[in-house]
Amino acid sequence: MKTECLQYFKNPYYWAVIGFGLAARAVLAYLDFRYRGAQFWELAAAFWNKTGSITMGFLILVVMIRRFSCDAELRTFPITNSTAYGRLSLFWNRLIGGEAAVVAAVLLLYAGNTGISFLLGNKMDIPYGWTGSFTHTTAAALAGSAGYFALSAMICDLAKNHPVAMCLCGLPFAGSYFINAGTVKPPDLFWFLRYGFFTEQMRGRTIRSFPVFWAVWYAALIGLTLFWVIQKRKERKEL
């Protein structure tokens, strides 16, 4: 697991995406400081709503889940599959290592946004409880990012094709941004698309519309996808 975890951190694109996300946040924070000073801390607390969640979505889809299709794409699959480590244990190590990399990325973005905000807004009055509020939204973003990575990684493992996995997982994720929560009512299609694919949590929000249903839905989604992965691996003799 340690080896697979280090592979994520050794990937220069992992750091490039995080750096780009923080650079974008720094530019936006400066513009907020110059032109929307009265809303500066409110906008800083909403980091996960757009910049943070988009950065994590891009990081997971474009950089991280490729580990689950690289053997097939690089034609090293017969070699890795011929060893005991190259079977199901490799999948678990990549998944657990990836979750560790997701946690690290969320914490780096959390620290980066906090540092940028305090650097630019140190002369403004900081609202009471701002740090606690931002930490709460970060916890929601962390849970959503971990779930989204697990689902996307398993789909990539099933497809053995990175571009296909990006499309299958990216479209519902991106589509959620264009659906106004105030205009959807359960159980219509747009309500399901808005809340059904981890985007809401990655944006630092908790689902208040039928939360018990969504808890069951996410557990079933992850569980059934994992079951499908194991079944396909049995068919491919990858266990």
Side-chain angles (χ1 to χ4, degrees), residues 88 91 154-155 157-158 224-234 239:
L88 190 59
F91 168 78
M154 289 188 288
I155 290 176
D157 186 80
L158 286 167
L224 290 174
T225 307
L226 178 59
F227 176 78
W228 192 10
V229 167
I230 294 174
Q231 288 300 113
K232 292 297 290 184
R233 283 180 166 267
K234 286 182 180 179
L239 297 178

Side-chain angles (χ1 to χ4, degrees), residues 65-167:
I65 66 171
R66 189 173 182 272
R67 293 286 304 161
F68 293 83
S69 64
C70 63
D71 294 327
E73 293 170 1
L74 298 176
R75 302 183 186 277
T76 59
F77 179 74
I79 299 173
T80 58
N81 196 43
S82 66
T83 64
Y85 177 72
R87 297 178 181 178
L88 190 59
S89 58
L90 178 60
F91 168 78
W92 282 115
N93 287 332
R94 283 179 175 171
L95 193 63
I96 296 170
E99 293 290 7
V102 166
V103 172
V106 171
L107 293 178
L108 285 169
L109 292 172
Y110 168 82
N113 179 59
T114 303
I116 291 168
S117 301
F118 276 88
L119 182 64
L120 291 174
N122 63 85
K123 295 182 179 180
M124 301 178 183
D125 291 333
I126 303 173
Y128 176 77
W130 183 90
T131 302
S133 175
F134 183 54
T135 301
H136 180 268
T137 60
T138 299
L142 177 58
S145 298
Y148 186 63
F149 168 76
L151 180 64
S152 301
M154 289 188 288
I155 290 176
C156 191
D157 186 80
L158 286 167
K160 299 297 184 186
N161 189 305
H162 185 217
V164 168
M166 282 197 301
C167 292

Side-chain angles (χ1 to χ4, degrees), residues 192 195-198 211-224:
F192 186 78
Y195 299 114
F197 297 97
F198 296 100
V212 176
F213 169 80
W214 290 116
V216 174
W217 162 256
Y218 284 124
L221 185 64
I222 294 291
L224 290 174

Side-chain angles (χ1 to χ4, degrees), residues 13-100:
Y13 295 111
Y14 176 89
W15 300 104
V17 171
I18 294 175
F20 181 81
L22 290 176
R25 170 57 193 149
V27 172
L28 293 173
Y30 177 75
L31 294 175
D32 293 339
F33 170 75
R34 287 291 304 272
Y35 303 109
R36 295 193 286 183
Q39 298 175 282
F40 179 83
W41 287 106
E42 178 184 349
L43 295 169
F47 168 73
W48 294 109
N49 185 42
K50 291 183 180 178
T51 307
S53 55
I54 291 173
T55 300
M56 285 305 303
F58 196 85
L59 179 68
I60 290 169
L61 290 178
V62 178
V63 179
M64 296 185 65
I65 66 171
R66 189 173 182 272
R67 293 286 304 161
F68 293 83
S69 64
C70 63
D71 294 327
E73 293 170 1
L74 298 176
R75 302 183 186 277
T76 59
F77 179 74
I79 299 173
T80 58
N81 196 43
S82 66
T83 64
Y85 177 72
R87 297 178 181 178
L88 190 59
S89 58
L90 178 60
F91 168 78
W92 282 115
N93 287 332
R94 283 179 175 171
L95 193 63
I96 296 170
E99 293 290 7

